[in-house]
Amino acid sequence: RLGYTASRVILFWLFVAPTRLFSPVRIPFAVRPEVRQTVFAVKNTIHEHLQHLRHALLDLHKTLVDSERVSYEQTMGTIPSPNHFLQLLMKDPWFAWLHPLSQLIVMMDEALDGKEPLTPAGAQALVKQVRNLLVASEVGEGFSKHYFEALQRDPDVVLAHARAAKYFGAPKPPV
């Protein structure tokens, strides 16, 4: 049985998202058809790239959550229910390091579903944020330290990171 929020999310993706994601770009009719097609193609390319990155980040997030759950249960004991696990994800310091990734995914959703069209600069800014966040560091604190530990502990996290890295890889040098 789905909760109210889960039902709303499912309804959104079934009925609202397809109309927002694939609606044509409104361009004044005086623009030449070949220019109109180019603008539409650029918008679709940016949108598709961010959609692929978003899906890869969702997969990485799920993999990290699963990995952290196993680690938590080995240390603290079995989590009694899905509701309790959700509460732990939202409020427990053990899982707090995952919040920046969750927030970044939400920002990406808002940019993809926004009323204003996504610009190349906006898309590049999101990709840059992903690139800056998903840096593992053996020293320090916060996300990068925990991310390093997860990469060392779980090969599934490494594979999910590799799939996401295809979409946020290092910026191409200027030609």
Side-chain angles (χ1 to χ4, degrees):
R1 185 173 153 181
L2 296 174
Y4 176 74
T5 304
S7 299
R8 289 188 65 199
V9 169
I10 290 170
L11 289 173
F12 172 81
W13 285 110
L14 286 175
F15 299 106
V16 179
T19 59
R20 287 187 184 172
L21 297 179
F22 303 108
S23 62
V25 180
R26 291 194 174 105
I27 302 172
F29 72 92
V31 177
R32 294 189 318 260
E34 59 272 11
V35 173
R36 193 175 308 135
Q37 289 172 348
T38 303
V39 170
F40 188 71
V42 168
K43 180 184 180 211
N44 279 345
T45 303
I46 293 168
H47 213 274
E48 285 177 18
H49 181 77
L50 277 183
Q51 282 289 357
H52 289 300
L53 177 57
R54 179 188 166 279
H55 288 293
L57 288 178
L58 284 172
D59 180 48
L60 176 62
H61 187 270
K62 182 187 181 326
T63 305
L64 286 168
V65 167
D66 292 344
S67 178
E68 280 302 306
R69 181 180 186 154
V70 168
S71 180
Y72 181 89
E73 288 182 333
Q74 287 174 346
T75 305
M76 306 296 230
T78 305
I79 299 171
S81 70
N83 187 36
H84 187 251
F85 181 55
L86 180 62
Q87 293 302 315
L88 288 172
L89 276 174
M90 292 189 305
K91 298 177 183 172
D92 194 281
W94 188 286
F95 298 97
W97 72 273
L98 292 168
H99 292 178
L101 181 57
S102 304
Q103 292 168 347
L104 188 54
I105 293 170
V106 168
M107 286 174 44
M108 197 170 284
D109 283 342
E110 289 172 351
L112 288 168
D113 296 336
K115 293 180 180 178
E116 296 178 18
L118 187 62
T119 64
Q124 287 176 350
L126 284 170
V127 171
K128 184 176 179 182
Q129 284 182 305
V130 171
R131 191 180 301 121
N132 291 339
L133 180 64
L134 296 183
V135 173
S137 175
E138 193 171 0
V139 295
E141 296 180 8
F143 185 88
S144 43
K145 172 74 172 162
H146 288 282
Y147 193 52
F148 174 82
E149 292 168 357
L151 286 166
Q152 297 301 311
R153 177 180 63 239
D154 192 344
D156 290 337
V157 174
V158 175
L159 294 173
H161 175 86
R163 286 189 295 271
K166 289 190 298 189
Y167 301 106
F168 74 82
K172 295 178 176 67
V175 178

